[in-house]
Each structure stands twice: as C-alpha cells, then as structure tokens.
C-alpha cells in the first residue's frame, strides 16, 4: 500500500454515483458544502476525491470552493490511471482538468487502465480516510456500493447524502 503524507485521522473520502439528476445537482452541491464544513469543524482537513464523473467531480468542486474560508482544507485527487478521461466528453474533460490544476495534490495509482483499477482507487481512499461522504442510492452493486461496504467494514463513519437531497 502506498504511504500517504496525510493523516488518516483527519481525512475524508468521497464516493457516489456517476449519474446525478440535473435538477438535483445544485441542492446536492449545497448539501456537500454543508457536510464538508461540518466535518471540517470536527477537525477533518484532507478530502480525497476519486475524480470520476458525477458525484466525485461535484464533491471536488464543493470542497475547492470552500478553501478560501476553510484555510487548511486540502483536496487530494486520486486518479486510478492516466488517461482516465480519454473517452469522456470534451466538456467533462475540461472540468476534470480544471479541477486537477487547482487541487492540493494528485495521486496517480497506475500508468494505464487494468481490470479492477477503479476499485483499487476506492480501496486507496478508504484505507487513507476515517470518514466517507457518499451519494449512494442503495443499489447492491457497483463502485459506490463496494466503497460504502468497504468503508463500513473498515470502521469509517459513513454519511450518505442520497436521501438528504
């Protein structure tokens, strides 16, 4: 396992679905900002983002938008493999690249895609965090389900924003 320079005790990770209904995005981003501010007040300072489309990028934007008021808040992008965005739309690629330019740190876990690398990214974030902020609809499959389950097994406190929007 890769050693992190960030303290797990004050670290949070995000995991959520790629598809967020457009009508709910603004409310979800506000809820994210509120939750980030709340955990910041509890002493959390490092926020790991897996950089997937949907919830991950929304969470990164929300955390970054709070940095001017929450001075030592750090956002760490955890990229599962180089070229993650190669098949994404130009619009989403632009958003992704804009986020990567302003995060505090970027961790690239693999030079190329391999089967299971997205789950390895989720493992990395769970193993380096003590809390998870999720957007999980309860579906018993997929990466978000895997991450919420793994976080619970590893004793992380899990906050699910799905029903709060």
């Amino acid at each position: 396992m890769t050693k992190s320079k960030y303290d797990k005790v004050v670290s949070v990770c995000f995991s959520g679905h790629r598809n967020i209904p457009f009508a709910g995005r603004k409310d979800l981003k506000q809820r994210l900002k509120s939750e980030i501010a709340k955990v910041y007040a509890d002493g959390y300072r490092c926020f790991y983002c897996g950089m997937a489309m949907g919830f991950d990028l929304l969470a990164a934007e929300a955390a970054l938008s709070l940095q001017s008021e929450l001075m030592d808040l750090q956002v760490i992008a955890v990229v599962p493999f180089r070229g993650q965005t190669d098949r994404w739309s130009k619009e989403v690629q632009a958003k992704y690249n804009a986020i990567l330019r302003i995060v505090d740190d970027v961790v690239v876990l693999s030079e190329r895609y391999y089967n299971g690398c997205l789950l390895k990214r989720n493992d990395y974030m769970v193993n380096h965090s003590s809390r998870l902020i999720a957007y999980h609809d309860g579906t018993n499959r997929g990466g978000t389900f895997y991450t919420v389950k793994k976080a619970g097994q590893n004793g992380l406190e899990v906050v699910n924003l799905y029903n709060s929007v």
Side-chain angles (χ1 to χ4, degrees):
M1 179 167 63
T2 309
K3 176 83 174 107
S4 174
K5 59 186 168 190
Y6 305 102
D7 187 350
K8 176 179 180 164
V9 173
V10 296
S11 296
V12 178
C13 58
F14 299 108
S15 183
H17 300 298
R18 287 186 176 88
N19 296 318
I20 310 285
F22 184 78
R25 285 183 192 188
K26 189 175 179 184
D27 288 340
L28 179 57
K29 193 169 185 178
Q30 273 310 120
R31 182 71 175 106
L32 264 164
K33 288 168 84 168
S34 296
E35 189 61 34
I36 292 164
K38 182 177 152 204
V39 300
Y40 180 91
D42 289 343
Y44 290 86
R45 295 295 181 266
C46 302
F47 294 81
Y48 287 98
C49 178
M51 299 302 290
M53 285 188 279
F55 182 78
D56 285 8
L57 295 182
L58 197 65
E61 288 175 329
L64 289 164
S65 75
L66 292 169
Q67 284 187 316
S68 60
E69 51 193 278
L70 308 177
M71 292 304 178
D72 51 352
L73 183 151
Q74 293 188 295
V75 181
I76 301 100
V78 183
V79 176
F81 65 97
R82 288 199 200 281
Q84 176 182 11
T85 65
D86 287 353
R87 295 183 176 160
W88 296 5
S89 72
K90 295 291 182 210
E91 179 187 351
V92 179
Q93 283 182 14
K95 179 186 286 196
Y96 175 96
N97 289 326
I99 290 169
L100 273 189
R101 281 193 294 276
I102 59 173
V103 293
D104 297 286
D105 202 358
V106 178
V107 177
V108 178
L109 297 178
S110 177
E111 289 303 312
R112 59 188 55 84
Y113 176 84
Y114 62 90
N115 196 17
C117 70
L118 302 179
L119 298 179
K120 279 280 192 231
R121 180 255 336 262
N122 299 346
D123 289 344
Y124 178 93
M125 294 192 306
V126 167
N127 291 335
H128 289 87
S129 301
S130 59
R131 190 177 283 198
L132 168 66
I133 298 173
Y135 181 75
H136 181 240
D137 65 7
T139 306
N140 289 337
R141 60 180 165 67
T144 301
F145 167 71
Y146 172 90
T147 306
V148 169
K149 183 177 172 188
K150 179 125 185 154
Q153 291 169 342
N154 287 337
L156 275 71
E157 182 177 336
V158 177
V159 176
N160 186 1
L161 300 181
Y162 185 79
N163 293 321
S164 67
V165 178

